[in-house]
Amino acid sequence: MDDTPAFRPRALDAILADAAARGFRLSCEERTGSLLAVLAASKPGGLFLELGTGVGAGTAWLLPGMSPDARLLSVDNDPAVLAVAARHLGRDGRVSFTVADAGEWLDSYRGPRFALAYADCFPGKFHRAGDLLRLLEPGGLYLADDLLPQATWPQEHQQRVDAFLAQLPGHPGLLAAPMAWASGLLLGSRTRFAAGEPRQPTEAARPPGGR
Ligand SMILES: C[S@@+](CC[C@H](N)C(=O)[O-])C[C@H]1O[C@@H](n2cnc3c(N)ncnc32)[C@H](O)[C@@H]1O
């Protein structure tokens, strides 16, 4: 079985060339990207969130899956990498790039719930995953990658990943499938709300921050 993606975002090669030129090695791998596109296509009109934009490889995969009325907020705390993503993808009116620490962004977000969250930096993944899961609509999808061991990991990182993989599948309100595929994924779906948790968004979306 050849699991090489059968399609490829138009902007991807130029994004990866810029990534290589600046020594950025954290872009998602292509099988993960193809899954992101498929998941995006399963939520027509959905509101999507990416925590950790990088240079925009994951964003480039999400966009072709999104319907014309879908929207994506993508957050990174490094304005230099975000500028690369914005240069390649910013003309697409469905995506907004925000420079922010993802933890602070989780504290301040008051908008509608998300149909899909791609957690690709520490906040929302190795810590504060519960705060991100609370922002998903019922049936909303959660994807985390980079869970299979990599030679470049610092020694303590395996413990962090082990704790994540031990906790997330049993997290209240999430049905999750760990997948030893691509870079190692965990795909989950929001199943139910905790007692007392509001089921409807209480505030309209704020305009996302600057590019
Ligand atoms: C793995 S890369 C993202 C790759 C991208 N999502 C993709 O699929 O190609 C992680 C990114 O998270 C960003 N980052 C790290 N810590 C962060 C934080 N606390 N808040 C926001 N972004 C953060 C880094 O600047 C880096 O660009």
Side-chain angles (χ1 to χ4, degrees), residues 68-122:
D69 55 343
R71 296 289 177 267
L72 168 62
L73 312 185
S74 190
V75 177
D76 202 293
N77 64 358
D78 181 343
V81 295
L82 208 55
V84 177
R87 192 166 70 246
H88 288 284
L89 303 169
R91 276 187 299 258
D92 190 321
R94 298 172 300 167
V95 60
S96 302
F97 294 109
T98 298
V99 180
D101 173 76
E104 291 174 11
W105 186 92
L106 284 169
D107 288 335
S108 64
Y109 182 73
R110 296 287 181 277
R113 294 183 190 280
F114 293 93
L116 179 154
Y118 173 32
D120 208 11
C121 64
F122 280 24

Side-chain angles (χ1 to χ4, degrees), residues 4 6 37 43 54 60 64 89-90 98 140 152 188 211:
T4 308
K43 303 283 185 185
L89 303 169
T98 298
T152 51
R211 249 174 210 154

Side-chain angles (χ1 to χ4, degrees), residues 5-6 30 32 35 45 49-50 58 71 74 112 120 123 127 159 176 187 202 208:
E30 297 186 359
T32 304
L35 180 63
L49 174 66
E50 178 180 36
R71 296 289 177 267
S74 190
D120 208 11
H127 57 90
Q159 281 175 290
L187 176 61
T202 51

